[in-house]
Amino acid sequence: MRFDGKTALITGASRGIGRGIAVEFARRGANLALVGRDRSSLDETVAACVSARADVKAAVFVADVTDAGAVDGFVAQTLAEFGRIDIAVAGAGQSIDGLLLRLKPETIDQLLDVNLKSAFYLCAAVAKPMMKQRAGSIVLVSSIVGLTGNAGQSVYAATKAALLGLAKSLAKELGSRNIRVNAVAPGLIDTAMTEGIPQAAREFMLKQISLGRPGTPQDVSGVVAFLCSDAASYVTGQTLVVDGGLVM
C-alpha cells in the first residue's frame, strides 16, 4: 500500500486520529496537505511526518473548515502546490456532550458545522479535480456512535450518522468517474477528544471491547490507508468499523 507521487489532503490533521492518518500517508510515500485550526499543532504533525519519512513534502493550511470559501481556497492551493489531489480525508470533528433538553441551539449549529457541513464542503471541492483526473478516494471519519447512538451525544451521533449517508450517496454519484467514497467508524480511541470520558464510563466500555483495550490513532490510520489504496480498488460506499469488537 504505497502512495508515492500521490497527494493526500487531510482535515483535522493537527492532532489525534487526523495526525495519525497524516503520519501513515507520509510513511507510505504520499505528499501531504494538512489542514487544521492551530499552526503550532500542525507544525507538530509535520514534525511527526518528517520522523516517519525525512523527505516528505507537506503543505500546511490554517483554515476554518466550516467556511466553504476557505475550503475551496486550500483545495486550490493544494492543486497549485502538488498538481493533483488523489486522496481526501475528512477528519475534522468535535464532540460536545449533553442531554438534548439542555443543549443550546448554538451548540447544535456548531456540531453540525464542524462535523457535517465541513465534510460536504470538502467533498464538493475535491470532487471537481478528481473527476477531471477520473480517479480519487475520499474517506469520511465517522464514529461508532453514528451506528449505535449514545445517550448524551444525540447531536454528535446524528452528525456522524449523516456522514455514513453522505459516503453512500457520493459513492453512487462519483463511481462512474472512478472516485471511491468510504467511511470509517472508530470506537474508543485514545485521543484528546476521549480524555474527558469519566473513568467509570471508560471502564464499562473497556469491558465491552473484545480485544480488551482502547484503540490508537494508528489502529484507525492503517484502515484509512487500506481504503485509499489499490488493495481496496473495488470497495466504495462502505463503512469499516474500527472498535476492537465493541459492537458486533
Side-chain angles (χ1 to χ4, degrees), residues 9 25 58 80-81 103 108 139 159 163 194 205 220:
L9 189 161
F25 280 111
E81 177 78 17
L103 287 174
I108 297 172
V139 174
T159 61
L163 291 178
T194 60
M205 291 179 69
V220 181

Side-chain angles (χ1 to χ4, degrees), residues 1-77:
M1 296 194 299
R2 295 291 302 178
F3 301 98
D4 301 277
K6 294 187 175 182
T7 300
L9 189 161
I10 303 159
T11 65
S14 57
R15 62 178 187 167
I17 292 174
R19 178 177 292 176
I21 292 170
V23 172
E24 187 78 28
F25 280 111
R27 187 169 65 83
R28 296 181 183 275
N31 300 320
L32 303 174
L34 307 176
V35 183
R37 293 177 297 177
D38 180 71
R39 179 67 197 223
S40 62
S41 296
L42 285 170
D43 287 342
E44 291 175 5
T45 299
V46 172
C49 291
V50 170
S51 295
R53 189 177 107 239
D55 65 344
V56 64
K57 296 179 180 178
V60 172
F61 303 105
V62 178
D64 179 3
V65 294
T66 69
D67 181 335
V71 175
D72 287 341
F74 64 68
V75 167
Q77 288 177 277

Side-chain angles (χ1 to χ4, degrees), residues 136-147:
S137 179
I138 300 171
V139 174
L140 310 180
V141 179
S142 180
S143 167
I144 193 66
V145 301
L147 293 167

Side-chain angles (χ1 to χ4, degrees), residues 156-209:
Y156 179 74
T159 61
K160 292 300 185 178
L163 291 178
L164 307 184
L166 176 60
K168 290 179 182 295
S169 298
L170 291 183
K172 292 183 177 182
E173 286 186 21
L174 302 176
S176 64
R177 298 298 183 94
N178 195 35
I179 301 169
R180 298 182 297 106
V181 187
N182 293 289
V184 291
L188 177 62
I189 307 296
D190 273 339
T191 66
M193 185 180 289
T194 60
E195 286 178 355
I197 296 176
Q199 186 61 30
R202 183 182 180 86
E203 290 177 359
F204 176 80
M205 291 179 69
L206 285 172
K207 289 179 181 178
Q208 312 306 312
I209 296 174

